[in-house]
């Protein structure tokens, strides 16, 4: 029986390994992590991450050929294939701080693999890493262990949170990069054989190591670029009276462009886009390509601009101050169908409003009060550095309450901000919400999920990203 061990039981390691276990009953899969609570949760009925369909997949194989353990060294030592899916955050200090990838977790995993291995292994980069990381990893592995053959493969993950199970079951492609040596190609074939249990062969792409590493960064940069492009257009739509949804539809009908990823919004979030683009920017700078670096940096800058623009719209519409006003924040996760809050635009929007002394009442169906408060108390980029988390400051939260119901959040509020596109927010009784709010009642739809006309009929003053402005909002705008 082939034995797989995956280091890192997170949003990628957990679901990816569960799918491999489901599709390959003849392979034993052990997911290991240094976090005891995370592993305990994977072994319980309350999985540590919310992902539609994940429960069923885990339940089908856990205890049969899928195991979760904190005994990292034992399972790494026993494995034939070791996936490494640990976090690769943005560096917060030192050379490249704020841009470069921090490979501390990766390096310590590699050193541990070198230390405990007694047999040949294929080591698979599942984490998103800077191009050429495999070279560094190879050096760590081969210098620390004489006589053991390690083959490094790059197998970046393209799943999207919220649709991870669908994406894993029917991937657009699986990408495997390896050395162009006989040993490297043999390793590529071995990993290909794992995916071939359920992925059609023409969807399994093989490349050299560097192409595979760079393709992941490039894919995320292209995806994020589409969002920043439509968000940049949304600002122009508001100024000209065009409707961004109509523009996106018309543009997306061009088969060369296509309709996906053209929804204007308050901004993109998530653990990957910003981090991976900043990493790409840093790599370009290090390779003497400042123009290319500048080009990609704009994608992140437009994203920051969009969040600032949203906050300015809220404040300027509400008579240029939200001081002492109650604002309901509906949605905190970075997108629907996940409880993940990493780099969620909600954090920057909340900080912006708190800076203007608003009182926030926050509701998200999948995010706990603890998580929200931790997110609002952390420094930028610290969220992905479990080792240097800042202590919480209880006084910072006097202006924040977290509630478990959208009606409770909006009761007596002056304004409502929709930050996550949860389906349930489309179905709320907005007449009831309006009746229980202070007047004039404002709604700021950061996801364009609400019916603007119906809300205006009820009496709301509505701002929806990239849509023709409510006369009220237009009259009160300072320059944005
Ligand atoms: P995560 O933070 O959810 O999981 C990483 C896990 O690795 C944590 O549970 C941590 O405790 C564990 N870990 C860190 N160092 C360890 C060590 N030395 N030994 C054992 N466990 C260790 O991160 P996530 O979201 O799963 O991301 C992992 C990688 O995959 C990152 O490089 C990310 O960029 C990439 N990625 C993430 C995607 C996403 O949607 N979240 C999609 C595609 C790639």
């Amino acid at each position: 029986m082939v034995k797989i061990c995956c280091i890192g039981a997170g949003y990628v390691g957990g679901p990816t390994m569960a799918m491999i276990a489901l599709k390959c009953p003849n392979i034993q899969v052990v997911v290991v992590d240094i976090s005891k609570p995370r592993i305990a949760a994977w072994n319980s009925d309350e999985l540590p991450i919310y992902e539609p369909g994940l429960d069923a997949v885990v339940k089908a194989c856990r205890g049969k050929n899928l195991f979760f353990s904190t005994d990292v060294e034992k399972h790494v030592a026993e494995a034939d294939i070791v996936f490494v899916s640990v976090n690769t955050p943005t560096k917060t200090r030192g050379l490249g701080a704020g841009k470069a990838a921090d490979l501390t977790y990766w390096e310590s995993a590699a050193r541990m693999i070198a230390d405990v291995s007694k047999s040949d292994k294929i080591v698979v980069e599942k984490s998103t890493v800077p191009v050429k990381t495999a070279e560094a990893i190879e050096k760590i592995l081969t210098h620390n262990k004489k006589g053991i053959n390690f083959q490094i493969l790059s197998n970046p993950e393209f799943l999207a949170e919220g649709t991870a199970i669908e994406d894993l079951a029917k991937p657009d492609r699986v990408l495997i990069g390896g050395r162009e040596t006989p040993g490297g190609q043999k390793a590529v074939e071995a990993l290909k054989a794992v995916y071939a249990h359920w992925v059609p062969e023409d969807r399994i792409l093989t490349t050299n190591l560097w192409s595979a590493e760079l393709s992941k960064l490039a894919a995320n940069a292209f995806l994020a670029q589409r969002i920043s492009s439509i968000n940049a257009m949304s600002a122009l739509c508001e100024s000209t009276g065009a409707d961004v949804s109509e523009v996106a539809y018309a543009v997306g009908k061009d088969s060369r462009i296509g309709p996906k990823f053209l929804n204007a919004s308050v901004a993109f979030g998530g653990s990957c886009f910003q981090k991976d683009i900043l990493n790409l920017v840093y790599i370009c700078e290090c390779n003497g390509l400042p123009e290319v670096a500048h080009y990609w940096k704009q994608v992140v800058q437009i994203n920051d601009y969009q969040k600032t623009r949203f906050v300015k719209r809220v404040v300027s519409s509400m008579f240029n101050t939200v001081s002492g006003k109650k604002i309901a924040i509906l949605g905190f996760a970075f997108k629907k169908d996940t409880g993940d809050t990493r780099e969620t635009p909600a954090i920057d929007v909340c900080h912006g409003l708190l800076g203007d002394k608003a009182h926030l009442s926050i509701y998200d169906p999948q995010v706990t009060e603890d998580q929200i408060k931790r997110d609002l108390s952390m420094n930028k980029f610290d969220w992905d550095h479990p080792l240097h988390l800042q202590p919480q400051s209880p006084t910072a939260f006097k202006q924040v309450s977290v509630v478990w119901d959208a009606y409770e959040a909006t009761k007596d509020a002056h304004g409502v901000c929709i930050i996550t596109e949860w389906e349930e927010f489309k179905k709320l009784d907005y007449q009831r919400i309006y009746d229980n709010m202070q007047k004039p009642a404002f709604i700021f739809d950061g996801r364009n999920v609400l019916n603007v006309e119906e809300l205006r009929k009820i009496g709301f003053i509505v701002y929806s990203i990239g849509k023709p402005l409510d006369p009220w909002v237009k009259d009160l705008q300072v320059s944005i």
Side-chain angles (χ1 to χ4, degrees), residues 314-325 327 356-358:
V314 176
V315 176
S316 61
S317 305
M318 298 176 78
F319 315 104
N320 241 356
T321 177
V322 288
S323 177
K325 292 177 185 169
I327 312 268
D356 213 85
K357 297 194 180 139

Side-chain angles (χ1 to χ4, degrees), residues 7-13 32-35 38 49 72 85-88 105-106 108-109 112 126-129 157-161 216 220 271-272 275-276 334 340 342 384 386:
I7 307 175
Y11 285 86
V12 169
V32 296
D33 204 294
I34 40 176
S35 163
R38 212 159 206 189
I49 61 177
V72 180
S85 185
V86 300
N87 20 344
T88 48
Y105 302 95
W106 233 106
S108 86
M112 183 270 299
K126 199 44 146 171
S127 306
T128 305
V129 290
E157 185 48 58
F158 294 101
L159 67 78
E161 285 175 34
K216 175 62 192 176
N220 273 353
S271 64
C272 294
K275 156 175 93 72
D276 294 348
F334 84 92
D340 192 355
R342 296 178 292 178
D384 211 3

Side-chain angles (χ1 to χ4, degrees), residues 390-464:
Q390 302 295 307
Q392 285 188 38
S393 139
T395 50
F397 301 123
K398 279 193 191 137
Q399 290 162 253
V400 178
S401 62
V402 178
V403 296
W404 278 98
D405 174 42
Y407 296 107
E408 183 60 31
T410 53
K411 193 162 173 278
D412 292 325
H414 295 77
V416 177
C417 296
I418 308 279
I419 306 296
T420 313
E421 71 279 26
W422 286 105
E423 287 302 312
E424 68 173 70
F425 297 157
K426 296 182 190 169
K427 296 177 197 144
L428 293 171
D429 179 349
Y430 282 95
Q431 182 66 56
R432 178 177 159 198
I433 288 177
Y434 178 80
D435 291 344
N436 289 324
M437 282 177 67
Q438 307 275 345
K439 307 296 177 318
F442 295 84
I443 287 200
F444 303 91
D445 182 358
R447 294 286 178 173
N448 288 352
V449 287
L450 303 182
N451 184 324
V452 176
E453 289 317 311
E454 274 176 22
L455 292 174
R456 286 195 180 132
K457 260 191 238 150
I458 293 174
F460 282 106
I461 295 160
V462 188
Y463 165 72
S464 201

Side-chain angles (χ1 to χ4, degrees), residues 39 64 97 114 166 169 208 247 271 277 328 332-334 367 405 426:
I39 289 299
K64 294 180 190 146
E166 252 171 79
N208 75 28
V247 172
S271 64
I277 293 173
F332 200 84
F334 84 92
V367 186
D405 174 42
K426 296 182 190 169

